[in-house]
Amino acid sequence: MALTKAEMAERLFDDLGLNKREAKEMVELFFEKIRAALEDGSQVKLSGFGNFDLREKKERPGRNPKTGQEIPISARRVVTFRPGQKLKARVEGYAGSE
Amino acid sequence: MTKSELIEEIAKDQNHLPQRDVELAVKCILEHMSESLASGDRIEIRGFGSFSLHYRPPRQGRNPKTGESVALAGKYVPHFKPGKELRERVNDAFQNNP
C-alpha cells in the first residue's frame, strides 16, 4: 500500500496529538512550502532524507510517439531528487517483495 | 531552503502552534516517508509527486584505491517522479522569469 497524505496526518494525530484539522494542515503546508521554494528557484535540502534540486534543460529534438512527427522539446526547468546517505542506506537493505 | 528554514516557514502560517510542535511534525513526516520506502512501500502525493524504489542489478565494481575488482550485490535506490502541479509551477516560473 502506498503512503498518502491522509496516513501522514493520521500519524501526526496519533504520535504528536495534533488535532485532525491541524494534522491535515501540517501535511498540506509541508508539501506546499517545498513546492513554493522550488517554484521560487531554490534548492530544498532535507538532511537525513535528501535534496530536491533544480536543473535547466536545453531544447532538444523530440517526436510525437503517436504520429512519429518531429517536434522540439522546449527548454525547461525540472526538479530532481537526490536521496541522502541515510535514506539510501535504509532503502538499500530492502530485500524486495518477490 | 533547509529543514530548519522549512520549519520556520510552516511555523509562520501556523502561529497557533509552537515552533517546537512544527519541528516535531516535520521530523515525524520525514521519518514516516523514510520508513515507508525502507519497507518497500511507495509514497504518492497528488500535485507533488511520487517516491518509489528502483532496482540496481548486481555488478562488478572496483576498489578505487587498490584497483581490485569487487562483486557488488543488487540493491534498491529511492526514486522521485515530480507530479504535474509541481512540474508546471516550477517550469512556468522559469519561463516567466528565466
Side-chain angles (χ1 to χ4, degrees):
Chain A
M1 248 292 282
L3 177 63
T4 62
K5 288 193 290 189
E7 287 164 286
M8 294 181 194
E10 190 65 31
R11 175 76 64 99
L12 294 177
F13 170 77
D14 291 340
D15 287 12
L16 299 182
L18 299 192
N19 69 42
K20 299 261 180 177
R21 185 184 46 79
E22 286 168 341
K24 192 163 175 266
E25 267 178 30
M26 187 66 73
V27 174
E28 286 298 337
L29 276 172
F30 175 86
F31 291 106
E32 178 49 28
K33 294 296 182 184
I34 297 175
R35 271 195 299 253
L38 293 167
E39 182 175 17
D40 201 42
S42 306
Q43 176 200 37
V44 176
K45 301 197 288 186
L46 303 174
S47 72
F49 187 75
N51 297 352
F52 294 93
D53 295 328
L54 293 165
R55 294 184 63 147
E56 277 156 35
K57 303 276 197 179
K58 291 204 183 96
E59 181 181 288
R60 61 190 170 90
R63 204 176 272 283
N64 180 327
K66 278 200 189 117
T67 64
Q69 193 193 1
E70 276 202 44
I71 30 161
I73 297 168
S74 58
R76 61 191 62 205
R77 182 182 280 160
V78 299
V79 177
T80 59
F81 176 68
R82 280 179 56 93
Q85 280 308 321
K86 208 169 141 192
L87 178 63
K88 278 203 274 190
R90 285 178 72 173
V91 160
E92 217 176 285
Y94 173 63
S97 52
E98 276 98 358
Chain B
M1 181 169 78
T2 61
K3 198 194 289 176
S4 44
E5 287 163 346
L6 171 63
I7 292 163
E8 281 169 32
E9 279 296 314
I10 297 173
K12 274 189 217 161
D13 286 21
Q14 288 282 50
N15 41 28
H16 56 284
L17 281 179
Q19 181 150 329
R20 176 74 189 140
D21 286 5
V22 177
E23 188 183 335
L24 290 172
V26 165
K27 289 182 174 166
C28 177
I29 293 170
L30 288 169
E31 173 54 29
H32 199 179
M33 292 171 74
S34 301
E35 186 187 295
S36 192
L37 290 170
S39 59
D41 284 335
R42 297 166 51 81
I43 305 169
E44 285 177 7
I45 311 295
R46 179 158 307 204
F48 185 81
S50 58
F51 296 84
S52 58
L53 299 186
H54 280 189
Y55 182 64
R56 296 277 176 267
R59 61 188 178 88
Q60 283 298 320
R62 220 168 257 288
N63 180 329
K65 275 194 193 125
T66 62
E68 204 179 332
S69 176
V70 278
L72 297 173
K75 63 174 183 180
Y76 285 87
V77 293
H79 177 77
F80 175 66
K81 184 170 186 283
K84 189 161 182 274
E85 184 193 340
L86 178 59
R87 274 200 321 265
E88 289 178 352
R89 280 174 61 178
V90 164
N91 191 43
D92 288 353
F94 172 64
Q95 301 300 336
N96 295 330
N97 191 9

